[in-house]
Amino acid sequence: MKVVFDIDTLSFIMGMFSTIVFPFLIWLFNKFVKIIKIKRFKKLLYREYVLKIKGIKHEELKKYSSDSIRRLNYLIEKELTYFNNDVQFEYIRAVEYTNMLFFSITEKSKSTEFRDVLKVPIEVIEDEKREKD
C-alpha cells in the first residue's frame, strides 16, 4: 500500500513540524549558551578571587578576604543589579557564594589566631648561649 500525500497535507505537516521543532531548537540553543555563560563567570570568579588564596600567608589572608568581600559587594550592588540579562540571578548567586566563602575565611581567621610554633623567642636563644658559655 502506497501512501500519497497531496500538497495541502504535506504543507500542513511541514507547518506543524516547523512550528514545534524550530522553536524547540532555538530554546535548546539559548539554554546551552546560558549554561556556558554561567560556567565562564564562575571560572572568572574562581580565577580572580579564590585561586589567589593559595600563595597568601595567614597574616595577609584576613586583609585579602575582607578586601575581596568589599569588592564582591560592590560588584553586586553597583554592577550586577543593573545588568539586564537572563543570567543575572545566577551571576548574583555565584558572587554571593564566593562572598560567603571569604566571609567564612574571615570569621575562621578571627577565631583561630595562627602562632608559629617553630619560632623561638630571642630570649630563649640568649639564655642557651649563656648556659653554654
Side-chain angles (χ1 to χ4, degrees):
M1 182 172 174
K2 192 173 186 183
V3 178
V4 178
F5 293 112
D6 60 343
I7 195 76
D8 291 336
T9 308
L10 191 60
S11 66
F12 176 74
I13 291 172
M14 288 302 291
M16 255 178 68
F17 180 76
S18 65
T19 304
I20 294 171
V21 172
F22 291 138
F24 176 72
L25 291 176
I26 291 170
W27 176 82
L28 194 64
F29 177 76
N30 289 337
K31 196 69 149 169
F32 181 71
V33 167
K34 183 179 178 181
I35 289 171
I36 288 176
K37 283 181 180 180
I38 294 168
K39 285 189 178 194
R40 283 183 180 170
F41 187 74
K42 286 180 181 180
K43 283 183 183 179
L44 172 96
L45 287 175
Y46 183 74
R47 186 179 62 241
E48 292 297 321
Y49 291 98
V50 179
L51 275 183
K52 293 183 179 180
I53 292 176
K54 282 188 178 180
I56 294 180
K57 296 180 181 177
H58 180 75
E59 297 84 22
E60 299 166 359
L61 183 63
K62 192 185 292 187
K63 182 181 180 289
Y64 178 75
S65 62
S66 63
D67 186 46
S68 296
I69 289 172
R70 183 183 53 77
R71 289 180 14 207
L72 289 169
N73 283 335
Y74 177 83
L75 181 65
I76 290 173
E77 293 170 2
K78 304 291 184 189
E79 295 177 11
L80 289 179
T81 53
Y82 301 110
F83 191 65
N84 194 10
N85 199 343
D86 57 343
V87 292
Q88 176 188 15
F89 176 72
E90 284 84 4
Y91 284 177
I92 292 174
R93 214 170 137 196
V95 171
E96 282 292 338
Y97 180 78
T98 310
N99 206 0
M100 181 199 64
L101 172 74
F102 283 112
F103 182 75
S104 64
I105 288 173
T106 304
E107 289 301 311
K108 195 61 119 169
S109 66
K110 286 179 184 176
S111 65
T112 57
E113 287 295 325
F114 176 76
R115 293 185 185 155
D116 193 1
V117 293
L118 298 178
K119 256 187 182 174
V120 180
I122 195 81
E123 294 86 22
V124 174
I125 295 174
E126 290 174 351
D127 289 341
E128 288 177 359
K129 283 184 182 177
R130 283 186 213 141
E131 289 176 6
K132 285 182 183 178
D133 292 337

